[in-house]
Amino acid sequence: MKDQNIICPVALTLSLIEGKWKTLILRDLLEGKKRFGELQRSVEGISQKVLTTQLRALEANGIVERIAYAEIPPRVEYQLSPQGQSLHAIIDAMRIWGENYQMLDK
Amino acid sequence: MKDQNIICPVALTLSLIEGKWKTLILRDLLEGKKRFGELQRSVEGISQKVLTTQLRALEANGIVERIAYAEIPPRVEYQLSPQGQSLHAIIDAMRIWGENYQMLDK
DNA sequence: CGGTATCCAGGTCGATACTG
DNA sequence: CAGTATCGACCTGGATACCG
């Protein structure tokens, strides 16, 4: 957790969802529960290591929940926590803003 | 502009406001027009070089406007563009979310 | 299947010095 | 006052190989 987050809640929120991949992961998890392999396919171009890192970070921050089944072969599912679900409105707002922004050319 | 922004408007929006300093700069500019030196004092800890870089990036993306006066000593003011103003709701939403998040300890 | 371990490349940020 | 220039440190992310 960065130092500035203490004084700037905006930076706090942002720190939880920023980065090259987190929004893409969240976008997919907003659709519902997903397995590790599913995420790796839907978040195109991400490596195993980085997907693991990002999911661990989201989990540590209470945004996603990890459910491991004791099976052979192993199965692990990820889903948004209630905290994560509550980001839905913000992500939607950013999506809409981004779509408008795109239409003004650039 | 990153490649994924083409397919993910959320990532597009995020790319414009993320980073260690941009939210802090935007937070201050939401209050109104500011001079370079004012920003450097209110965004505590930022170096001249980085503040310049960040402002240039925000300007290039149409979020802030730069007004230089041909005076001695020089005077430069920065203010949000209409596009930048339209981020207000999103930044507010993130601030509120962050405040709630903080209260759940962590 | 769902990870770790290792090593490396690129970019961002910081410190410092200098300038119109 | 409001920058630019230079150099170096750190950190994120990428490639690849291996593991329970």
Side-chain angles (χ1 to χ4, degrees):
Chain A
M1 205 73 26
K2 319 257 178 67
D3 11 334
Q4 299 150 317
N5 297 340
I6 300 162
I7 50 158
C8 184
V10 180
L12 208 199
T13 305
L14 208 43
S15 73
L16 302 181
I17 60 177
E18 80 183 344
K20 188 169 176 182
W21 301 109
K22 288 209 189 70
T23 35
L24 299 172
I25 297 170
L26 292 175
R27 181 197 57 185
D28 290 342
L29 288 180
L30 282 171
E31 296 170 7
K33 198 183 295 182
K34 290 277 174 73
R35 295 185 59 169
F36 186 90
E38 282 183 283
L39 283 172
Q40 203 180 349
R41 279 186 299 278
S42 58
V43 181
E44 217 167 331
I46 198 170
S47 70
Q48 249 177 355
K49 190 194 79 169
V50 175
L51 179 54
T52 302
T53 311
Q54 301 299 303
L55 286 170
R56 291 280 183 279
L58 291 167
E59 193 190 353
N61 292 324
I63 308 296
V64 311
E65 290 164 356
R66 180 178 186 273
I67 308 157
Y69 299 87
E71 301 175 353
I72 302 292
R75 181 160 61 103
V76 179
E77 290 179 340
Y78 293 90
Q79 65 184 7
L80 290 179
S81 68
Q83 275 293 308
Q85 288 288 353
S86 71
L87 283 168
H88 206 136
I90 291 176
I91 292 176
D92 265 3
M94 290 200 296
R95 186 181 47 72
I96 291 166
W97 193 95
E99 286 167 356
N100 283 330
Y101 182 84
Q102 261 175 334
M103 292 197 304
L104 317 174
D105 103 34
K106 286 201 138 269
Chain B
M1 208 73 29
K2 319 258 177 68
D3 10 336
Q4 299 150 315
N5 298 338
I6 300 162
I7 50 160
C8 184
V10 181
L12 207 199
T13 305
L14 208 42
S15 74
L16 303 180
I17 60 178
E18 79 184 344
K20 188 170 177 182
W21 301 110
K22 288 207 189 73
T23 34
L24 299 173
I25 296 171
L26 291 175
R27 182 197 56 185
D28 291 341
L29 288 180
L30 282 172
E31 296 170 6
K33 199 182 293 181
K34 289 277 174 72
R35 295 185 60 168
F36 185 88
E38 283 183 281
L39 283 172
Q40 203 181 349
R41 279 185 299 278
S42 59
V43 181
E44 218 167 329
I46 197 170
S47 71
Q48 251 176 354
K49 191 193 77 170
V50 175
L51 179 54
T52 302
T53 311
Q54 301 299 302
L55 286 170
R56 291 280 182 280
L58 291 167
E59 193 190 354
N61 291 325
I63 308 295
V64 311
E65 291 164 355
R66 179 179 187 273
I67 309 157
Y69 298 87
E71 299 174 356
I72 302 294
R75 182 160 60 102
V76 179
E77 290 178 343
Y78 292 90
Q79 65 184 8
L80 290 179
S81 68
Q83 275 292 307
Q85 288 289 354
S86 72
L87 284 167
H88 206 136
I90 291 176
I91 292 176
D92 265 3
M94 289 201 295
R95 184 180 48 71
I96 291 165
W97 193 95
E99 285 167 357
N100 284 330
Y101 183 84
Q102 261 175 335
M103 293 197 304
L104 317 174
D105 103 33
K106 286 201 138 270

